[in-house]
Amino acid sequence: MGALAQRALHACAELARLTETPGEITRTFLCPPSREVTAYLSAWAHDLGLSVRVDAAGNLRARREGPAPDSPTLYLGSHVDTVPNAGAYDGVLGVTLAYAVAGALRRTPLPFALELLAFSEEEGVRYGVPFIGSRALVGTLDEVLGRQDAQGVSVRAALEAYGLNPAELPAAEVRGPALGFVELHIEQGPVLQAAGAPLGVVTAIAGQHRLRLDFAGQAAHAGTTPMAHRRDALAAAARFVVAAEDLARATPGLVATVGVLNASPGAINVIPGAAHATLDLRHEVDAVREAALKTLLAQAHALATERGVTLTVTETMTQPAVPLDPGLRAALHRAAAAEGVVAPDLPSGAGHDAMVLAARMPAAMLFLRSPNALSHHPDETVEPGDVETALRVAVRTVLALAQEHGAQEHGAREHGA
């Protein structure tokens, strides 16, 4: 299986050359290099004897039919778009490993269909909303068709300009029974590296709260306004930043980030009259995240009141946590153990296509260790040995699912007889 793992890595390197921006890897939704990505993967799919189609959202779907028209489908894959100046493996490795799995099982009978998914968009770079590709499979892409990019081009117009027909989006939806979706992905963080583990099984994709906090005080002369008479908006906001960090450090699994903090009027000798902050709060358990948010907002209001500052909070996004399927997770654990690998459980702090497909079918994720814990960065990397191990675990998982499904079908036939 080493040759197939090498093929998956080689494909990542080849696809990294297909970029909008010379000298870096940048590939946004429906950019011209997307056609070359589709052509490259389509050629590989044809070599594997798979049928190929591009759906109305630009997703490349390579399929091996099941033994009967009503056979369920097992889906494998990830996304092929990138952030600006990206690494070579985020998303793409999950696609190329799916093709490697299909290659390993090319001559193995399966009691279900196998469909490889190369999603056209996941990162949310061009339109500010992610998962355009996977939304098409669950029938929710219509909700964002009117959204415009920085040039005023709507999602609908971009699809049409690419030669796709939004009227055909219903045909992109998953039809018929779905056995599940398994996504292989680099961890994008340090947990597996610190644990010395090549792989991990994702328990849940963390839920998120995103907010904007506007602190309004009074700008005044920095030299002539005594400390007791100040209404310093930035001081209140700064205290909030520390409060968010303190609470996250004290709450297992919680992450809190103030990614934006600015003040006005922004002069060295003027007390800030206004400050604006963002908050990104994540946890795999919704109740924990919601309790933390309640605590932080109470603290923010108290900190503002202490300084004679008003506070306005605007929620910009709420995304519930998505627990992944226990049955598929158990299958991944058993396959890893059979390969002599301890694959610890861990949550995903980032969003992934699996969270979208989980609304329609069982979904699971297998993480590969990120050796330098870098992602969305040119230095993103993987260990070749981890890639081969992940491939072995994925193949073993598919074979186990095949055996389990075959046994269920046999039992159903006997019961019916």
Side-chain angles (χ1 to χ4, degrees):
M1 209 169 289
L4 286 168
Q6 285 297 320
R7 175 74 192 272
L9 284 169
H10 176 73
C12 288
E14 289 295 298
L15 295 176
R17 298 167 54 195
L18 308 178
T19 176
E20 297 173 68
T21 307
E24 63 181 49
I25 306 171
T26 299
R27 198 165 52 242
T28 56
F29 178 53
L30 299 186
C31 65
S34 299
R35 297 186 189 277
E36 298 174 82
V37 172
T38 296
Y40 181 93
L41 292 173
S42 295
W44 191 357
H46 287 307
D47 287 345
L48 294 173
L50 306 177
S51 64
V52 175
R53 72 180 175 111
V54 176
D55 68 23
N59 300 314
L60 177 63
R61 302 169 72 161
R63 185 173 176 88
R64 167 182 166 173
E65 293 295 344
D70 61 348
S71 296
T73 301
L74 177 66
Y75 296 87
L76 305 174
S78 193
H79 62 96
V80 292
D81 68 315
T82 75
V83 298
N85 200 22
Y89 304 103
D90 174 10
V92 176
L93 181 61
V95 175
T96 64
L97 276 173
Y99 277 66
V101 169
L105 298 173
R106 182 173 183 176
R107 293 177 176 82
T108 302
L110 296 174
F112 44 72
L114 192 65
E115 186 163 320
L116 314 182
L117 301 170
F119 290 117
S120 59
E121 202 281 341
E122 185 260 11
E123 296 287 5
V125 173
R126 181 173 177 182
Y127 285 96
V129 293
F131 311 125
I132 289 175
S134 50
R135 286 172 191 259
L137 273 73
V138 298
T140 60
L141 183 51
D142 284 348
E143 299 169 6
V144 299
L145 285 178
R147 194 173 181 98
Q148 296 184 346
D149 64 12
Q151 284 69 47
V153 179
S154 70
V155 174
R156 180 186 298 277
L159 292 171
E160 291 171 342
Y162 198 76
L164 302 170
N165 184 359
E168 296 175 359
L169 280 172
E173 292 182 43
V174 170
R175 304 293 185 186
L179 200 64
F181 173 65
V182 179
E183 182 173 7
L184 279 67
H185 204 285
I186 59 171
E187 182 199 349
Q188 303 179 277
V191 175
L192 295 175
Q193 174 71 8
L199 306 176
V201 177
V202 180
T203 55
I205 298 174
Q208 301 181 37
H209 280 300
R210 294 186 184 181
L211 306 98
R212 175 185 170 101
L213 296 90
D214 295 299
F215 296 84
Q218 178 63 61
H221 197 293
T224 61
T225 309
M227 299 304 293
H229 292 268
R230 296 179 178 220
R231 296 174 56 207
D232 189 331
L234 182 57
R239 291 280 187 173
F240 172 74
V241 174
V242 177
E245 182 188 50
D246 287 347
L247 181 62
R249 286 181 178 273
T251 308
L254 184 71
V255 291
T257 305
V258 177
V260 176
L261 178 63
N262 53 55
S264 61
I268 192 170
N269 59 345
V270 180
I271 298 164
H276 310 284
T278 60
L279 176 66
D280 182 312
L281 193 67
R282 308 189 190 202
H283 197 279
E284 65 175 309
V285 178
D286 287 335
V288 174
R289 190 185 73 257
E290 288 162 2
L293 179 64
K294 183 177 180 180
T295 297
L296 283 177
L297 291 183
Q299 288 180 291
H301 282 288
L303 291 165
T305 300
E306 286 174 10
R307 289 161 180 78
V309 171
T310 61
L311 172 60
T312 302
V313 178
T314 305
E315 187 173 282
T316 58
M317 188 186 88
T318 298
Q319 170 66 56
V322 180
L324 295 182
D325 183 70
L328 288 178
R329 286 174 49 208
L332 288 169
H333 275 301
R334 288 193 296 268
E339 291 292 336
V341 175
V342 176
D345 283 330
L346 75 165
S348 172
H352 296 284
D353 290 303
M355 69 191 295
V356 176
L357 292 190
R360 173 62 179 80
M361 66 185 75
M365 292 192 73
L366 186 70
F367 272 173
L368 286 77
R369 151 173 62 189
S370 294
N372 56 9
L374 282 176
S375 184
H376 288 186
H377 188 280
D379 291 339
E380 179 180 277
T381 188
V382 290
E383 295 284 356
D386 293 353
V387 173
E388 181 166 358
T389 302
L391 176 58
R392 289 183 180 278
V393 168
V395 169
R396 191 179 285 272
T397 299
V398 175
L399 290 173
L401 293 173
Q403 184 177 16
E404 179 183 332
H405 184 74
Q408 289 174 351
E409 281 194 329
H410 180 71
R413 285 194 299 270
E414 284 193 341
H415 182 72

